[in-house]
Every structure is written in structure tokens, then in C-alpha cells.
Amino acid sequence: MKRLFVLLCVWVGCMAPAWAHKGSDAYLDVRQTSGDVKLQLSVALKDLDLLLPLDANADGNVTWAEVQTATPAVLALLQAHTGLQTSAPGCDLRWRFDGLERRSDGAYLRAAAQLQCAAGAALAWRYTLFREQDTNHRLIVTGQLDGRDLLATASPQQTTALVLRQARAAAAPPRGRLATLLDYLALGMHHLLEGYDHMAFLLALVLPLQLRLGPQLGRGSTPAGQPRPWMALLRTITAFTIGHSITLMLATFGWSQASPAWVEPAIAASIAATAMLNIFPLPKLRPERLALVFGLVHGYGFAGLLLEAAAPSGLLPWALAGFNLGVEAGQLTAVTAWVLLSQLVVGQPWYQRIVVRGGSAVLVLLAGYWFWLRVA
């Protein structure tokens, strides 16, 4: 069992990418100008490289010359995996290259299309890019149609097209507040559970807590003056929630800014510091205080997705509320999974030595590797 647990820790560490909290996302901006509809689709070069050999010489860098060479194939790929469902004439979708743009996780290729659809025509969006290659991929749709804000998410796996506009412009908007909240709740939960660095930080927080289910619930041996394990868990998770909620809100509404250039390494450093304190604890340092301070840093990481989506101001509060609720749901799911998994070994005499100290050492090495990649 000890060997199995150590191997599991190593396997989890090796599979995690360097820019772990930022998932595979693409962005569609929809704008209506003088009756025409303009679309801009941005897809990460690192994601496109899964489908096409953008890095032709396999040197780890995609050059401008390589992008130019691959552009016709990329546009053909987008043409095959995107589309509009409408009965209106003159609404043909034809992508053209519109340049490159820089986002927090790297370079994106931007394609544009100009549609001359009949006024008030129903529009639905079909998107199947990366359906077979990445089940975690999401498309974030923003913009304005008929004077109404548009904000939604789409998955390549969904079987129904995303409704952008109903048949009559005067009808109620298809993507209202409730739909936005539910969409972003799912996106927030998805973002947390696939964000390996946030998951690693949560693991570092809960590793030293010997949480037991059954008759011993709420009991457990703790140093004098320290809270019981379950109370410590409640305080720690609550503090982390408060911390990242504050900066997530501040950054999303533009009241505070933080560059990914320091946020990304700081997130990695927070994992290393928390895990190191599991090996060399400081009795006077309460875990909830640590979670609160580092939660402020992680909140800026969570905000990156909403900021890059450029959500319309009218729906932004609903997107923020849904996303934050989704993050909390993902957090509770992750912690619950760990509690259930740890029941297999929490009662063993070697738990503190192998699981807490050994697992924390793995997290320190992993976080150090992430930190080096993010500052290199």
C-alpha cells in the first residue's frame, strides 16, 4: 500500500503541465455592425498543434514562418469543425486569417468571418473542434447581438447547437442571466478540477489533517491549542474561499490588476511553501491564515479566464457569481474525493511519515519545477 501511494503521487506530479490552472479554451467574439454579423475566433497555437504539425521542425517553438505555412490547413480545419445553423440566405461562414494575439497561456491564431444574414434570422452555432482530442476543451462566446449582451460557453461534445439568436429579434434573449450563471457555474467547476496547480495547493493544505469517517468523526490527535481536524478543514477551506473570492472579484471588475508574469510563479511558490510547512511545521502559523493569504494570489489566477473572455458588462456579475460558485463546487468535490481516498491509509502508523511528509516532498519538487518553467 505504501509503494502504491508513493507511485500515485509521482504519477500525478508527472502528468501535470507547467501552466496547469489555464485549461484548453478558445474564444468566439460575436458583433453586429450595420446589419452584418462579424465573428472572431481565437484558438491557441499549442492546441492547434495537437491537430496539425504547426511546429514543423519539432524544436519546441512555433515561428511566424511555420504559422504562415500552416494557415491554409488551419482555416480548413476551422471550416470543417465550425458552422452556423440558419435558414437565412447569404449567411455563409468563410474564415480568413486575422493575425495572432497574445494571451496569458501563449499565442493564439485569430480567424475572422463577415456574415450578411437577413435581419432577425435565427442563428445557432456548431462547434466540434478538439472533440476527439480533448474532452476538457471549452469555447467561450461573448459579444452583442440585436443590442443584447451575449455570454455563453460551448463544449465540442454537446449534441445541440448553441443558440445565438432566436427567429425574431424582439424575442427574449436566448442567453439570459440564469443561463449565464449556470454556464459559468459549470465552467468554474471544470476550471478548478482541471487546474492541477490549484488542486495541488488544496492537497498541500489538507494533507496534514487526519480526517476520519465513522465513529471517530470529529476526533483525532492534534497538538495542544490546535483545532480538531474537521474544524481545521472547515476553517482552512473557508479562508481559501474568502481569499480567492476577493481578488477574483477585484480583478474581474477591473478594480485591481495583476500580471500573469508574477501570479503564475507565485501560485507555484504557494504550493511549495505550504508543502514545506507540512515537513517543517511552524506551530504558531495557523493553516487558515496561510490559506487566506495564498488564496488572494490564486484568485488572480482564477480571474484570468473571465478577463480573457471579455464578458459584456451587463452579464458580468452573473458570470462572476456562477464561476465562483462553480469553483467552490469543484473545491468541495476535490476535498471530498481526498477524504474518501485517504480513509484507506489514514489509520496506518506510517501515515504521517509516508503520506504527509512524503507527499509534501513530492509537491515541493513539483511546485519547484513549475516555478522554474514559469520564470524561465
Side-chain angles (χ1 to χ4, degrees):
M1 179 66 75
K2 289 186 285 185
R3 290 182 179 179
L4 178 62
F5 187 83
V6 173
L7 288 174
L8 178 63
C9 290
V10 174
W11 174 75
V12 170
C14 291
M15 69 175 286
W19 295 84
H21 88 265
K22 182 66 169 65
S24 172
D25 304 311
Y27 302 88
L28 177 68
D29 185 73
V30 183
R31 299 289 168 181
Q32 188 175 23
T33 56
S34 302
D36 294 345
V37 177
K38 183 179 181 180
L39 305 178
Q40 283 188 337
L41 176 62
S42 301
V43 186
L45 293 182
K46 62 180 175 61
D47 293 337
L48 289 171
D49 197 47
L50 296 173
L51 305 175
L52 298 169
L54 265 64
D55 185 10
N57 58 5
D59 65 348
N61 293 308
V62 179
T63 65
W64 171 241
E66 289 173 328
V67 171
Q68 286 181 306
T69 302
T71 292
V74 171
L75 294 178
L77 186 72
L78 297 182
Q79 199 70 43
H81 289 278
T82 62
L84 284 170
Q85 295 181 2
T86 179
S87 58
C91 210
D92 297 330
L93 180 64
R94 291 291 181 268
W95 293 113
R96 58 177 176 80
F97 179 70
D98 196 42
L100 298 177
E101 60 186 43
R102 172 67 61 175
R103 293 180 180 267
S104 65
D105 58 334
Y108 279 63
L109 183 145
R110 187 174 64 241
Q114 190 85 12
L115 309 177
Q116 296 180 339
C117 304
L123 294 176
W125 174 257
R126 176 183 62 84
Y127 184 78
T128 59
L129 200 62
F130 306 110
R131 171 179 284 180
E132 304 296 331
Q133 293 77 18
D134 188 355
T135 57
N136 290 322
H137 180 75
R138 291 295 182 273
L139 176 72
I140 300 174
V141 183
T142 61
Q144 275 197 338
L145 273 177
D146 306 317
R148 297 188 178 101
D149 290 335
L150 179 65
L151 183 60
T153 62
S155 167
Q157 281 73 38
Q158 66 188 51
T159 57
T160 58
L162 176 66
V163 176
L164 301 179
R165 182 168 65 188
Q166 294 180 348
R168 295 187 306 171
R175 310 301 304 176
R177 295 174 177 177
L178 179 58
T180 297
L181 187 143
L182 294 177
D183 275 348
Y184 274 76
L185 187 150
L187 186 65
M189 185 172 183
H190 168 84
H191 191 58
L192 187 282
L193 293 177
E194 73 165 7
Y196 297 117
D197 49 2
H198 298 303
M199 295 281 280
F201 180 72
L202 284 173
L203 181 59
L205 286 175
V206 302
L207 262 181
L209 304 177
Q210 299 188 30
L211 302 164
R212 300 172 186 245
L213 299 174
Q216 294 181 325
L217 181 64
R219 302 177 186 176
S221 58
T222 54
Q226 295 295 316
R228 294 293 186 182
W230 287 96
M231 182 57 68
L233 174 66
L234 178 62
R235 292 181 180 180
T236 300
I237 297 302
T238 301
F240 182 58
T241 297
I242 293 173
H244 72 64
S245 296
I246 290 173
T247 47
L248 174 60
M249 180 181 65
L250 292 176
T252 302
F253 286 119
W255 299 333
S256 176
Q257 293 182 347
S259 170
W262 73 261
V263 171
E264 300 285 354
I267 288 175
S270 71
I271 301 168
T274 305
M276 187 64 72
L277 288 171
N278 293 340
I279 303 174
F280 305 103
L282 298 177
K284 293 184 179 181
L285 181 59
R286 300 283 289 267
E288 60 266 28
R289 296 174 182 173
L290 193 70
L292 177 63
V293 173
F294 287 146
L296 295 172
V297 178
H298 284 248
Y300 283 116
F302 289 130
L305 181 63
L306 288 179
L307 292 174
E308 293 191 343
S313 58
L315 292 176
L316 184 57
W318 297 90
L320 173 62
F323 187 82
N324 205 32
L325 288 173
V327 168
E328 306 320 315
Q331 185 173 283
L332 290 175
T333 300
V335 171
T336 300
W338 167 251
V339 171
L340 295 176
L341 178 64
S342 67
Q343 299 310 300
L344 299 173
V345 294
V346 70
Q348 299 297 325
W350 42 261
Y351 181 86
Q352 183 70 25
R353 176 170 47 89
I354 298 296
V355 178
V356 178
R357 293 181 177 272
S360 296
V362 171
L363 289 175
V364 169
L365 293 175
L366 176 61
Y369 173 66
W370 281 343
F371 183 85
W372 176 75
L373 287 180
R374 295 175 184 190
V375 299

